[in-house]
Amino acid sequence: MAIQRTFSIIKPDATKRSLTGAINAKLEAAGLRIIAQKRIHLTKAQAGVFYEVHKERPFYDELCEFMASGPIVVQVLEGEDAIAKNREVMGATNPEEAAEGTIRKEFALSIGENSVHGSDGEDTAKVEIAYFFSGLELVG
């Protein structure tokens, strides 16, 4: 397996409940290194640009509103097969369907307030990382 980088967000529902450390601990226990991280507060417009791929979907406005509702923690993770590993640690989008021990099973409040976001592929990861981080901020 190759060393990869992936993008992750700890969403407003999780930062509001001070779960950043607990979520980071799960990521690191799975073998993912946090090589860049910052806490930011998106505007609805910034969230809209990030989630533009979902613009035609019925949940788009609600998603953008939610992502602008409070601070988030954006991060770059690195490790062997990092994209798949991060998605495994996150668990299914619906916390009721997520496996025991996953972030979403333990911390998500609902499908919408599901505590974390992670890239779904290499191309997506590159775009998402570049949206939030300059090359100088990636200190792997």
Side-chain angles (χ1 to χ4, degrees), residues 14-47:
T15 62
K16 181 179 181 179
R17 293 177 289 140
S18 299
L19 294 173
T20 301
I23 291 170
N24 283 346
K26 283 190 168 291
L27 296 170
E28 290 178 330
L32 295 165
R33 291 180 51 231
I34 300 166
I35 65 164
Q37 181 179 56
K38 57 188 168 185
R39 184 178 179 98
I40 62 174
H41 196 147
L42 294 176
T43 65
K44 188 174 178 187
Q46 290 166 327

Side-chain angles (χ1 to χ4, degrees), residues 2-6 32 77-85 121-122:
I3 299 294
Q4 287 181 320
R5 289 182 175 172
T6 191
L32 295 165
L77 309 174
E78 185 177 78
E80 284 191 27
D81 205 19
I83 295 166
K85 190 173 286 185
E122 288 186 55

Side-chain angles (χ1 to χ4, degrees), residues 92-105:
T93 302
N94 182 344
E96 292 179 13
E97 298 171 2
E100 291 297 327
T102 62
I103 293 168
R104 288 178 173 151
K105 185 68 167 185

Side-chain angles (χ1 to χ4, degrees), residues 5-73:
R5 289 182 175 172
T6 191
F7 178 74
S8 172
I9 299 176
I10 301 174
K11 295 181 177 181
D13 63 296
T15 62
K16 181 179 181 179
R17 293 177 289 140
S18 299
L19 294 173
T20 301
I23 291 170
N24 283 346
K26 283 190 168 291
L27 296 170
E28 290 178 330
L32 295 165
R33 291 180 51 231
I34 300 166
I35 65 164
Q37 181 179 56
K38 57 188 168 185
R39 184 178 179 98
I40 62 174
H41 196 147
L42 294 176
T43 65
K44 188 174 178 187
Q46 290 166 327
V49 171
F50 181 74
Y51 285 107
E52 191 167 0
V53 66
H54 298 302
K55 192 169 188 149
E56 301 305 318
R57 305 201 58 189
F59 60 81
Y60 174 76
D61 283 332
E62 185 179 341
L63 174 62
C64 294
E65 191 77 37
F66 167 63
M67 291 302 290
S69 70
I72 61 173
V73 175

Side-chain angles (χ1 to χ4, degrees), residues 99-137:
E100 291 297 327
T102 62
I103 293 168
R104 288 178 173 151
K105 185 68 167 185
E106 289 189 27
F107 303 127
L109 300 173
S110 65
I111 292 175
E113 293 181 310
N114 61 19
S115 298
V116 287
H117 162 90
S119 300
D120 62 4
E122 288 186 55
D123 292 339
T124 306
K126 287 176 185 171
V127 170
E128 291 178 341
I129 290 168
Y131 186 74
F132 289 101
F133 294 95
S134 75
L136 293 173
E137 295 174 296

